[in-house]
Amino acid sequence: MTTKTTPAPIDSGKGVSGNWGREDEDQVLERLELLLSEHDPGSMPAEEFWGHQFDAGLAWINFPPGHGGLGLAPGLQGIVNDRLTEEKVSRLNVARNVIGHGMGAPTVVAHGSEQQMERWLRPMFTAEEIWCQLFSEPGAGSDVAGLATRAVKDGDEWIVNGQKVWTTLAHTSRWGMLVARTDADLPKHQGLTYFIVDMRQPGVEVRPLRQITGEAEFNEVYFTDARIPDSYRLGAVGDGWRVALTTLMNERVAIGSTQLPRGGGAIAETTAVWIEKGLTDPYLRDEMMKLWCEAEALRLTGMRANQARALGTPGPEGSTSKLHWADLNKRISTFTVDLMGAEGMLLPEGYPFVTPEEAGAGRLTRQKSFLRARANSIEGGTSEIMKNILGERVLGLPGEPRVDKDVPWKTVPR
Ligand SMILES: Cc1cc2nc3c(=O)[nH]c(=O)nc-3n(C[C@H](O)[C@H](O)[C@H](O)COP(=O)(O)OP(=O)(O)OC[C@H]3O[C@@H](n4cnc5c(N)ncnc54)[C@H](O)[C@@H]3O)c2cc1C
């Protein structure tokens, strides 16, 4: 995951419509002013204000009342965010807990019980509890449904053994979204169950993985007889794939449709270098403007995808933005270091081994952003997989052969 400013999660799963009327808008405005009059954001720690925002139902406006929302159209969240930005309310809770906000919240609200929403959503919103995604394994990335981590029932608990990998922010996380195999006799998609696992318990070992940037924003995670209460299961036993799809769909939209200002994001660095260096070459200007136009087209497409997402569960269109974003981000960051000349080859800050508190490229230098962009076509589903999804689900082309789909998972060679 790389996004710094994910849009509000949309899939409430509780039948919220995408439209709103004057009355809804008035209700939101009234609550906003009440929140600000009762709790001055400038006079308290940010976490405390975010907590009040959650309690006022203004965290994720489409979520059910009592769980951070008002059950209203998600598009109204924009009004809240704009007004709070005017009041200088920090949005660091989103940046710190990017996986919780982008993927955890929509998954918990779509599939969780009342008690589960009550337990997890508030500290997730305030970023007092960070979340990570425990899907990928050494032998199961693109084919995540083939995963091998096992969960075995033991009374009211499950015992988990196995290994996950590329787990962004596992080192700061309190909770992990875990998909594990609970029945190896069934075909791969059917034998999976979705759990929320406490990352701070014995039996969960987090080891950092150093990336090309020198940083370790992701990790390997080893489970050795880790225990999960059955009450931390999300969805039915064997229904883990359906729950995981909610997480994955939201991940693609969150990555590909980040809401940036016009000319913002990676292209802002390009234009900044152009101005700083006083460049004038007409050929280079032409190249830069082509990239700028593509970035603007992607930004507008992202806005449209977010509007569409406001009407329900994200569909395959999230894959379009994700695919284009990954390719464009690489081209823009390459062009930026090219414009920098020899300076673009240097890492002035050195190559220290750090485990950052936030994921993504937002705080990296231009040179490291260039390096970090290499991961864009891998994270959140590779570009080849995005093309497969688009080919099959949008263009209606024949699917690729899937010989292991209907046979018991345990009989598939690995
Ligand atoms: C920065 C970063 C952060 C990440 N964060 C997380 C995280 O927080 N949690 C998590 O669970 N995972 C995370 N991942 C893992 C990521 O989801 C996987 O790396 C990705 O899904 C690809 O899986 P893989 O690495 O096993 O590659 P593989 O699946 O082994 O793919 C290898 C190559 O084969 C290609 N390929 C595979 N199958 C097909 C096919 N059917 N058709 C065509 N080509 C194919 C792929 O496109 C790729 O080029 C992260 C990855 C990165 C880079």
Side-chain angles (χ1 to χ4, degrees):
M1 280 291 302
T2 56
T3 29
K4 302 299 290 180
T5 51
T6 40
I10 299 300
D11 176 22
S12 74
K14 312 284 182 204
V16 174
S17 137
N19 303 316
W20 68 84
R22 186 75 236 168
E23 260 175 38
D24 294 343
E25 202 169 322
D26 287 345
Q27 186 193 343
V28 171
L29 290 170
E30 210 174 286
R31 277 180 171 258
L32 248 175
E33 294 318 313
L34 189 68
L35 169 73
L36 288 165
S37 66
E38 288 180 350
H39 310 285
D40 172 16
S43 68
M44 63 183 72
E47 287 76 15
E48 199 180 322
F49 183 83
W50 293 325
H52 293 305
Q53 181 185 348
F54 183 94
D55 297 337
L58 299 172
W60 294 297
I61 215 142
N62 54 313
F63 282 19
H67 297 297
L70 298 171
L72 296 177
L76 286 164
Q77 189 68 42
I79 298 178
V80 177
N81 295 349
D82 289 349
R83 178 78 180 92
L84 295 183
T85 303
E86 269 173 34
E87 293 297 324
K88 309 223 172 339
V89 175
S90 155
R91 297 262 291 151
L92 256 184
N93 56 334
V94 185
R96 272 186 210 149
N97 197 12
V98 68
I99 293 176
H101 276 252
M103 292 130 74
T107 307
V108 168
V109 86
H111 302 281
S113 64
E114 277 291 317
Q115 291 82 345
Q116 290 174 329
M117 289 193 279
E118 175 77 30
R119 169 62 190 88
W120 286 315
L121 289 176
R122 194 178 191 276
M124 188 194 289
F125 180 75
T126 62
E128 285 162 298
E129 291 180 347
I130 306 296
W131 283 56
C132 64
Q133 177 197 18
L134 298 152
F135 283 26
S136 304
E137 297 183 1
S142 300
D143 180 25
V144 69
L147 59 83
T149 292
R150 300 293 292 270
V152 177
K153 190 94 191 288
D154 181 36
D156 286 343
E157 292 184 323
W158 295 81
I159 301 175
V160 181
N161 282 286
Q163 185 200 344
K164 297 288 175 177
V165 73
W166 321 128
T167 317
T168 305
L169 292 182
H171 55 285
T172 61
S173 289
R174 171 67 208 277
W175 299 105
M177 295 174 266
L178 171 77
V179 186
R181 188 155 306 280
T182 45
D183 191 340
D185 293 326
L186 292 172
K188 61 180 182 180
H189 293 92
Q190 293 165 34
L192 300 172
T193 303
Y194 199 116
F195 301 95
I196 305 301
V197 59
D198 184 345
M199 296 294 288
R200 305 247 173 97
Q201 63 170 301
V204 179
E205 190 193 344
V206 177
R207 298 186 196 162
L209 283 173
R210 194 175 191 190
Q211 297 162 230
I212 192 173
T213 54
E215 299 198 340
E217 79 187 52
F218 55 39
N219 308 270
E220 298 177 292
V221 179
Y222 291 83
F223 293 98
T224 311
D225 292 333
R227 290 191 167 259
I228 306 180
D230 190 49
S231 57
Y232 288 4
R233 173 169 44 79
L234 218 53
V237 175
D239 209 18
W241 183 244
R242 197 172 65 90
V243 183
L245 280 181
T246 302
T247 314
L248 291 170
M249 295 287 203
N250 276 284
E251 177 175 24
R252 276 152 209 172
V253 177
I255 293 181
S257 311
T258 304
Q259 287 167 337
L260 293 168
R262 192 165 187 259
I267 197 70
E269 293 301 321
T270 321
T271 49
V273 172
W274 181 270
I275 293 164
E276 282 164 25
K277 292 204 164 284
L279 299 174
T280 53
D281 183 295
Y283 169 75
L284 289 177
R285 184 169 50 218
D286 202 29
E287 291 301 301
M288 181 172 70
M289 287 320 297
K290 278 189 211 156
L291 292 171
W292 196 95
C293 292
E294 268 194 74
E296 180 60 5
L298 180 68
R299 189 181 79 88
L300 296 173
T301 309
M303 281 169 74
R304 227 182 26 242
N306 280 324
Q307 295 287 332
R309 190 166 80 123
L311 300 173
T313 305
E317 62 278 355
S319 302
T320 323
S321 296
K322 162 65 178 66
L323 177 64
H324 188 195
W325 168 81
D327 170 60
L328 183 61
N329 225 20
K330 283 191 198 181
R331 285 188 285 127
I332 291 177
S333 57
T334 305
F335 186 73
T336 304
V337 289
D338 282 349
L339 286 187
M340 291 168 76
E343 190 199 340
M345 294 187 285
L346 301 173
L347 294 177
E349 74 282 34
Y351 203 62
F353 183 94
V354 279
T355 50
E357 296 288 302
E358 291 168 28
R363 81 216 117 64
L364 296 178
T365 57
R366 289 162 184 157
Q367 294 91 329
K368 283 199 175 169
S369 292
F370 159 76
L371 295 174
R372 179 61 178 78
R374 306 305 102 188
N376 295 163
S377 53
I378 305 172
E379 60 195 319
T382 68
S383 290
E384 289 76 22
I385 295 300
M386 294 304 117
K387 286 179 188 165
N388 279 352
I389 293 173
L390 293 171
E392 293 177 26
R393 297 186 48 200
V394 179
L395 302 177
L397 298 173
E400 60 176 24
R402 294 186 173 94
V403 289
D404 60 350
K405 193 166 162 269
D406 299 313
V407 298
W409 175 83
K410 67 178 184 192
T411 64
V412 178
R414 63 182 55 79

